[in-house]
């Protein structure tokens, strides 16, 4: 009876913690690469419920903290997908964050600027700047949130997966002010049916057009084709995708995985024959994330 009561109290503490979120601006003062123009943020609905946002010009982090009894010092920055046109902040953000919290992992849902010439001087680097700033901010405030600065990962879905993969392969160059020389490399990456490549054969054209424009140069295409940017310093990566994905070819994940293996970067990939794009959203979050938690555990990020 006493053990049951303790479990009930612990579950209540975890549930309360998951609901208690703090939203903080990503930048203090001037937003880098900004034209100064601010858009009016608009909701995105799915089945008459708010599922996300569009027209993002003021980036932020939503903070989800586990209870002190369950916290393990690990953190994940989540980049929702949406083709660089919208951000599905509920199914690919809030719901995922709440599941991480149940496992003692601190989660941050990144609301990143969506590429637009009206709000950015160079729209191609705007989302990457926000991902780098999120990593920098989490490491700067790690002590406040009881985090281990060596257990800060990044996760992305679809186009958010492209952003996460870009952060995981472009960390040697700071696209943001970084006079403190903070480490901008995520310690691990989690990529869910990600857009990886911007080559004509593999890309999700809508994502590429919005980030780079309709006539990108060969240099831009190569720079943002992340399978071509993998090195031995790329962080360990976990991927999942389906073979019948009609929106983002599974070859995106396969080629990134192959590049990781070629460069001797630890990687784990889970491929499924059916489910199409967004397949995890139709499954209980706790179930499809179990292999991810197992991978995180055996690599020491949850200890």
């Amino acid at each position: 009876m006493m053990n049951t009561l303790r479990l009930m109290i612990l579950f209540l503490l975890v549930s309360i913690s998951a609901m208690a979120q703090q939203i903080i601006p990503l930048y203090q003062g001037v937003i880098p690469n900004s034209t100064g123009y601010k858009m009016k943020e608009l909701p995105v609905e799915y089945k008459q419920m708010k599922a996300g946002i569009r027209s993002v010009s003021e980036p932020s982090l939503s903070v989800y903290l586990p209870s002190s009894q369950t916290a393990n010092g690990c953190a994940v920055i989540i980049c929702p997908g949406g083709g660089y046109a919208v951000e599905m902040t509920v199914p690919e953000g809030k719901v995922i964050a709440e599941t991480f919290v149940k496992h003692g992992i601190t989660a941050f849902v990144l609301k990143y600027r969506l590429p637009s010439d009206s709000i950015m001087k160079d729209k191609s680097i705007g989302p990457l700047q926000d991902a780098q700033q999120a990593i920098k901010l989490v490491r700067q405030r790690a002590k406040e949130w009881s985090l281990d600065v060596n257990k800060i990962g990044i996760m992305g879905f679809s186009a958010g997966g492209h952003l996460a993969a870009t952060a995981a392969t472009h960390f040697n160059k700071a696209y943001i002010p970084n006079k403190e020389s903070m480490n901008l490399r995520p310690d691990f990456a989690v990529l869910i049916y990600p857009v990886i490549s911007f080559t004509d054969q593999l890309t999700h054209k809508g994502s590429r057009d919005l980030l780079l424009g309709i006539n990108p140069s060969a240099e831009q295409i190569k720079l943002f084709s992340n399978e071509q940017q993998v090195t031995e310093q790329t962080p360990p990566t976990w991927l999942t995708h389906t073979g019948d994905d009609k929106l983002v070819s599974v070859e995106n994940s396969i080629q990134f995985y192959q590049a990781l293996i070629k460069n001797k970067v630890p990687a784990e990939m889970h491929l499924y024959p059916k489910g199409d794009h967004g397949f995890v959203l139709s499954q209980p979050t706790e179930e499809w994330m179990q292999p991810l938690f197992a991978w995180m555990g055996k690599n020491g990020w949850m200890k």
Side-chain angles (χ1 to χ4, degrees), residues 255-267:
Q255 291 199 16
F256 195 73
Y257 177 81
Q258 289 174 329
L260 293 167
I261 298 305
K262 181 180 179 180
N263 284 276
K264 297 180 172 57
V265 176

Side-chain angles (χ1 to χ4, degrees), residues 77-121:
I77 298 163
I78 305 167
C79 307
Y84 283 127
V86 302
E87 295 173 38
M88 301 302 283
T89 53
V90 177
E92 295 177 345
K94 179 178 182 289
V95 173
I96 308 303
E98 290 174 345
T99 307
F100 274 126
V101 164
K102 292 176 185 176
H103 291 260
I105 300 163
T106 302
F108 301 87
V109 178
L110 174 61
K111 183 176 75 173
Y112 52 94
R113 286 172 291 171
L114 291 166
S116 168
D117 292 324
S118 64
I119 65 168
M120 299 178 207
K121 298 170 186 175

